[in-house]
Amino acid sequence: MRHVGELYDQALKAGVPAEDARFLLPNAASTNLTFTVNFEEFLHIADLRLCWRAQWEIRHMWAKARNALKARFPELAKPVQPKCGDQRMGYCDEPLAEYLKCPLGARRIRLHKDEIVAAAKTGRTLESTPLTEEDLALLTPRPEFEKVPVATG
């Protein structure tokens, strides 16, 4: 691993862009990430990456990004939710089988698009309740999944 790290450093010093030099690193190497987006794009990324279907590590990273925004600008953080959030679409548009696997769908915290369509066909409307911080916590990976155990011996 040390040799791979040295090759990576040499590539950077030789002017190879970091995103290209990363191809020398093993898969799943820890990474520091810096990005710049406008608020509209931040919301769009959060729509997808705070969703239960996003990879756990990405979901965790976006939960941290939301928390960082909330610490500095609480009002701006309110609409930063998964796309099913009441501040976003207000319902889940994923396949029903996936919706039922989601903690928010399984607990009936969010509506599914099929329910809304069925209600509309009979002239009824359905209301979506606001997501709470506890609801959002159901989507955030638990700490025991944050670190991959290192084999010893």
Side-chain angles (χ1 to χ4, degrees):
M1 278 300 295
R2 184 174 57 242
H3 183 65
V4 171
E6 291 168 1
L7 287 173
Y8 176 77
D9 289 339
Q10 288 174 12
L12 291 177
K13 289 176 185 167
V16 174
E19 62 268 24
D20 294 333
R22 287 188 50 74
F23 285 104
L24 294 168
L25 299 175
N27 201 9
S30 98
T31 303
N32 290 321
L33 176 68
T34 302
F35 60 92
T36 303
V37 295
N38 63 27
F39 189 62
E40 182 178 10
E41 187 61 22
F42 191 92
L43 289 172
H44 172 68
I45 296 168
D47 283 349
L48 303 174
R49 302 305 179 219
L50 289 174
C51 176
W52 176 82
R53 293 188 69 200
Q55 192 246 359
W56 71 269
E57 192 172 26
I58 300 296
R59 200 168 63 242
H60 183 75
M61 184 197 80
W62 274 95
K64 283 184 169 186
R66 180 184 182 274
N67 289 341
L69 180 66
K70 185 178 176 188
R72 184 93 189 259
F73 304 104
E75 288 301 312
L76 279 180
K78 286 181 182 179
V80 180
Q81 301 179 339
K83 63 184 175 177
C84 68
D86 56 285
Q87 299 284 317
R88 305 305 293 150
M89 289 173 45
Y91 62 91
C92 178
D93 69 341
E94 298 295 341
L96 185 60
E98 293 299 315
Y99 163 79
L100 294 172
K101 293 177 191 175
C102 172
L104 301 181
R107 289 175 174 82
R108 308 294 301 132
I109 295 169
R110 301 303 327 132
L111 297 171
H112 187 265
K113 65 181 176 186
D114 293 348
E115 296 174 283
I116 296 169
V117 169
K121 287 180 179 179
T122 63
R124 297 179 297 123
T125 60
L126 300 175
E127 295 295 322
S128 183
T129 58
L131 286 180
T132 65
E133 289 298 322
E134 292 77 26
D135 297 334
L136 292 171
L138 293 171
L139 302 174
T140 304
R142 296 185 308 270
E144 61 266 27
F145 294 119
E146 286 185 37
K147 299 205 185 293
V148 177
V150 177
T152 58

